[in-house]
Amino acid sequence: MAQHGYSLMRGGLVHRLMHAAGVLRGHAHLSWWLAVGLVAVSLVPPLVLTALDGTLLPRSDGMALAGDYATLSRLLLALPLLVLAAPHADALLRNALRQLGHASLVPARRAAHLEQLLQRVRRGRDSPLPELLCLLIALAPVVLAGTAVNLLPGVADWRLHAGQLTAAGRWYEWVSVPIFRLLGLLWLWRFVLWTVLLCGLPRVGLRLHAEHPDGAGGLAFLGLAQERFAILALAGGLLLAGACVNQMVWLGESLYGLRHLLVGYVVGVTALLIAPLLVLMPTLMRAKRHALFRFDALGNRAAAVFDRRWQAAGADDAAATAGTADADTLLDHGDASAYADFSGVYQGLVRMSAVPFTRWNLLWIALHAALPLCPLALMAMSVDELVKKLVGILA
């Protein structure tokens, strides 16, 4: 296995360019340096240029850069989060890929099929074409766009002057936004690679253990790995929150009027990010069904043996009471304890989930999507009104 054979992030055109430039060597906190550098490249020039133009600080005749919450949430929050989350996500996904190769999940006779699947994912990761396509998509709106339009209809903003892009606007459109788009697209490409891997697992021939204590046949670790993509829900929530704040401040939109959009986003992005795990549902259901058949047959034999032992122990107790035999009760044998243990295993099998994720995995992703939207409540009502409503609910 190659050094980065189990990694989804360490490969591709961008990774090779950074390695060739020496960026990946000698930095203990590389992600922090990259995040700071990208934020500086994306935001500092517009800050300087708008300060020279007089469109940096809030003004009465239009939206200044400091009052453009959509832009600030994109470049100050979402962009560095996508960079900082990558190493942690890659570490957990790498461990999940290693665990898939364990002999208890993939028999030795099927190991070649798993390796072929991993090779397919690695080829997609290392191919320069997908990342070149991501770059073209990131630049396409700038190249194909016609005349510049306002960020908000009818509201003058800092990017435009007399219908033309200012110097700050050109930097934002040609540099800042494409950088952010490229980061988001690279994350989406990794999500696609992970989805390809999950879709191929049922054909590998996994050997699932329906009685596994994780309640998912030994695949619950995939639900934990899927949580790493919750950063996409968080980044999207930050963009949506910034855009909604702009709508509320500059266009007078209400939080109530945006409720369908906000709820739809949280539900939709949670469903989208968890959906790849559903491809394993037939495999888990089949493993549970077969295990129930086996355990039912074993349970019938165990119950019959236990019943015979119970009747024999009852006869021994009667004989001992009459003084005709030594006392030998059911408690003198291990049958009761073994039968109780078998019953516990069987109940765990009955409760086995048909999907390799739990409600806590869903909640984790949903919280990442909803958390950036919570401050919008402060825009809709004052702190005093919010406290009164909370007290009214709790009292």
Side-chain angles (χ1 to χ4, degrees):
M1 183 65 66
Q3 181 182 1
H4 303 316
Y6 288 113
S7 174
L8 289 181
M9 305 287 182
R10 300 180 183 183
L13 179 61
V14 173
H15 184 270
R16 288 201 294 271
L17 290 176
M18 293 173 62
H19 187 274
V23 175
L24 301 180
R25 295 191 295 270
H27 292 293
H29 304 286
L30 175 62
S31 59
W32 287 93
W33 286 105
L34 283 177
V36 171
L38 290 177
V39 170
V41 170
S42 301
L43 193 57
V44 170
L47 288 175
V48 174
L49 293 171
T50 51
L52 296 176
D53 290 342
T55 56
L56 173 61
L57 300 178
R59 54 201 176 104
S60 59
D61 59 340
M63 182 172 61
L65 176 56
D68 183 359
Y69 300 99
T71 295
L72 295 179
S73 64
R74 181 195 301 266
L75 301 183
L76 272 180
L77 298 176
L79 188 150
L81 278 175
L82 290 176
V83 177
L84 295 175
H88 304 286
D90 189 46
L92 187 56
L93 293 172
R94 195 163 60 244
N95 290 335
L97 290 177
R98 287 197 186 99
Q99 192 164 338
L100 280 174
H102 197 273
S104 62
L105 279 175
V106 179
R109 59 187 177 82
R110 305 292 298 182
H113 294 77
L114 177 62
E115 183 58 30
Q116 289 175 4
L117 177 60
L118 292 175
Q119 287 286 358
R120 190 184 316 142
V121 173
R122 282 194 289 268
R123 285 195 299 270
R125 179 201 65 184
D126 294 335
S127 173
L129 294 180
E131 295 189 2
L132 280 175
L133 182 61
C134 289
L135 180 60
L136 292 176
I137 294 174
L139 293 172
V142 179
V143 177
L144 301 178
T147 59
V149 296
N150 292 73
L151 295 174
L152 295 174
V155 178
D157 65 71
W158 57 274
R159 300 178 311 120
L160 298 175
H161 179 70
Q164 299 296 322
L165 285 172
T166 63
R170 284 194 295 271
W171 187 275
Y172 177 75
E173 293 292 336
W174 285 86
V175 178
S176 305
V177 174
I179 287 176
F180 179 79
R181 286 200 197 105
L182 180 60
L183 278 176
L185 289 169
L186 291 178
W187 264 97
L188 287 175
W189 172 236
R190 266 52 186 185
F191 181 72
V192 170
L193 290 175
W194 176 253
T195 302
V196 169
L197 175 70
L198 293 178
C199 291
L201 284 180
R203 295 188 294 274
V204 166
L206 296 177
R207 181 169 58 192
L208 301 185
H209 305 279
E211 64 277 14
H212 196 286
D214 71 357
L219 295 181
F221 68 93
L222 293 177
L224 293 174
Q226 198 75 14
E227 289 181 359
R228 296 303 94 189
F229 292 103
I231 189 64
L232 295 174
L234 180 60
L238 288 169
L239 297 184
L240 180 60
C244 288
V245 171
N246 277 356
Q247 294 273 338
M248 295 167 71
V249 171
W250 297 102
L251 298 181
E253 186 64 74
S254 66
L255 182 61
Y256 184 79
L258 297 169
R259 67 190 186 284
H260 297 301
L261 174 64
L262 301 179
V263 174
Y265 171 75
V266 174
V267 174
V269 76
T270 302
L272 178 64
L273 292 179
I274 208 68
L277 292 175
L278 296 178
V279 300
L280 294 169
M281 182 186 293
T283 303
L284 285 165
M285 293 178 65
R286 184 165 55 252
K288 180 178 181 178
R289 184 172 62 250
H290 292 171
L292 281 173
F293 279 121
R294 294 196 309 272
F295 272 69
D296 279 339
L298 181 59
N300 286 331
R301 293 195 297 270
V305 171
F306 184 80
D307 188 56
R308 288 196 301 270
R309 181 72 71 178
W310 179 271
Q311 293 176 3
D316 291 343
D317 287 343
T321 302
T324 60
D326 295 331
D328 186 16
T329 68
L330 185 66
L331 299 179
D332 295 320
H333 301 276
D335 295 354
S337 176
Y339 191 71
D341 292 340
F342 176 83
S343 298
V345 173
Y346 186 84
Q347 291 304 316
L349 173 59
V350 170
R351 292 190 297 269
M352 174 186 167
S353 174
V355 289
F357 58 84
T358 66
R359 63 174 65 96
W360 299 111
N361 302 138
L362 283 172
L363 182 61
W364 182 259
I365 297 175
L367 284 176
H368 276 71
L371 184 62
L373 308 178
C374 293
L376 294 177
L378 299 177
M379 299 288 299
M381 63 185 72
S382 66
V383 177
D384 293 337
E385 291 175 338
L386 186 60
V387 171
K388 288 180 181 178
K389 286 185 178 292
L390 290 176
V391 171
I393 294 172
L394 298 176

